[in-house]
Amino acid sequence: MFKKRDEDQKVQESMSQNPEASDHEEEEHYSFLQETFKDEQMTGKKLRNIICKTAGKGLIFGLTACLAFCAARPWAEVIFSGKSGTVSIPEDTDEDVTEKDPTGEGEGDVQQEEAVTYPALTVDNYREMSRALYQVASQANKCVVEVSAVKNEDNWENIVYDDVNSVSGTIVWENALEIIILAPARIMKDAQSLNVTFSDGVTYPASLKKQDRNLGMAVFSVERRLLSSSTAGQIVAATLGNSNIVGKGDPVIALGKQFGYAGGTGYGIISSVKNRVAVADGEYRLLTTDIAAAPGGSGALFNTNGEVIGIIDQKITDNESMNLVTAYAVSDLKQYIEQLSNGKAIPYLGVKGVEVPDSVAETDGIPEGIYVKEVEADSPAMKAGIQSGDVIVELNKNQISTVSGYGKRLMECEVGQQIKVKGKRQGASGYVDVEFTVTVGSKE
């Protein structure tokens, strides 16, 4: 402490003897205190100016990009739509099934705390409802067409055109090159050429894009360049709705040839959603209505929003219930429609199977998987050695426990691809592991 005081005293004496040196030493001694102070307010202004200029430039760039995109969009659609015209149909999620009772059997189980009072309906209310349904039907009818076949028939003069040589189709996609139509494939039998009649009554030549004789559906194409401006202007591609949320009692509209003649319109309700039809390599849910139908009828089933919820084909089964409009639930067909619309064959193995219930698995000791009821003759599955009674547990390295899961995994395969199918086969001492190498085929 005393040492520090002595040093300060010496510095002061030196400064008194040499003022100039003292000033210089003082400047060096306190140089660490020297700072450069800037005007904070001026810096804030500059910062705001920089931000405003940057934002203005970004806004100008964004507006220029938007205008350029809008100007180039029509040109890009015409030039590139044909090259990238892949059909893409999003599938419906399984969660949507919970929005309504998918079996249609639970309506009477709900207990209401209070009785619901509905207003009395009058004739005017009924007329208003009918007009509203007709407006929906009129708009939806633009996506329904008639597909007809020209055949070499010896007794052509005795054939009723509407009864034999045509089916009702649904426009499922359109692009700059073609109009894509889904319809029953039975129209292809002995067909020499095809025509499509649109809702304006004008007929144009068509061609087969792809068919699948397993489920009995086909996709047809009409070149857009052949269409007149009036026909092209009224064409509307169908909106494929979610049939998973359709329930018993829902109002529906049937359009097409469901009555045996083209251009029919019918109104009714869903009477059942619990029926299914089994085909090779899968099963499909059916929507049954209370609308009368003719044998061999075809068309599309719409909800009150004008969305397609079912594809009508009265050839689904031979049951008496086919006297009522029955349709494939469209949610089960979306992946199928996408494949055919892109010109791809539907993968086929030829296995008709059922799921093994838990109770049966426990009592009879059958492994969990798909129990093979039947193998179609000359099918890829039969050639690979799969037999009735086998239980399929794995398909192309994917575990299988449901028929729908089996069908979805098979749809991911390519025709001609060799895949591994693992299963269980009953032997003398129980079920043993079996494995097959199957070449995926198709039924075109």
Side-chain angles (χ1 to χ4, degrees), residues 55-65:
K57 292 178 180 179
L59 180 61
I60 294 172
F61 177 79
L63 291 174
T64 304

Side-chain angles (χ1 to χ4, degrees), residues 2-12:
F2 293 104
K3 184 177 179 180
K4 177 68 176 176
R5 185 181 301 170
D6 293 339
E7 291 178 355
D8 293 341
Q9 187 175 359
K10 290 179 180 180
V11 169
Q12 291 177 0

Side-chain angles (χ1 to χ4, degrees), residues 134-276:
Y134 179 73
Q135 289 176 357
V136 175
S138 297
Q139 182 64 24
N141 195 57
K142 294 180 179 180
C143 65
V144 179
V145 300
E146 184 183 8
V147 183
S148 56
V150 178
K151 305 181 181 183
N152 183 16
E153 300 281 0
D154 294 335
N155 60 338
W156 58 269
E157 69 276 10
N158 297 322
I159 294 176
V160 179
Y161 177 80
D162 267 341
D163 290 341
V164 179
N165 291 342
S166 71
V167 293
S168 193
T170 306
I171 300 174
V172 295
W173 198 265
E174 62 169 327
N175 55 39
L177 295 180
E178 60 183 348
I179 311 299
I180 298 176
I181 298 158
L182 177 74
R186 62 177 183 270
I187 193 66
M188 287 304 302
K189 185 178 180 181
D190 301 325
Q192 293 184 335
S193 61
L194 298 165
N195 294 317
V196 167
T197 303
F198 291 91
S199 61
D200 63 350
V202 182
T203 301
Y204 297 90
S207 60
L208 174 68
K209 194 174 184 72
K210 212 69 175 177
Q211 70 170 322
D212 173 50
R213 291 183 291 109
N214 184 34
L215 186 59
M217 289 290 169
V219 164
F220 304 91
S221 172
V222 177
E223 296 183 51
R224 181 177 284 275
R225 64 180 181 84
L226 300 177
L227 305 180
S228 66
S229 57
S230 59
T231 300
Q234 58 84 42
I235 287 177
V236 176
T239 300
L240 303 183
N242 187 353
S243 60
N244 289 335
I245 60 175
V246 174
K248 185 188 293 186
D250 285 352
V252 288
I253 304 169
L255 298 176
K257 199 181 174 186
Q258 70 276 15
F259 303 133
Y261 53 83
T265 302
Y267 307 110
I269 63 170
I270 295 291
S271 59
S272 176
V273 295
K274 67 183 183 67
N275 297 318
R276 293 176 179 266

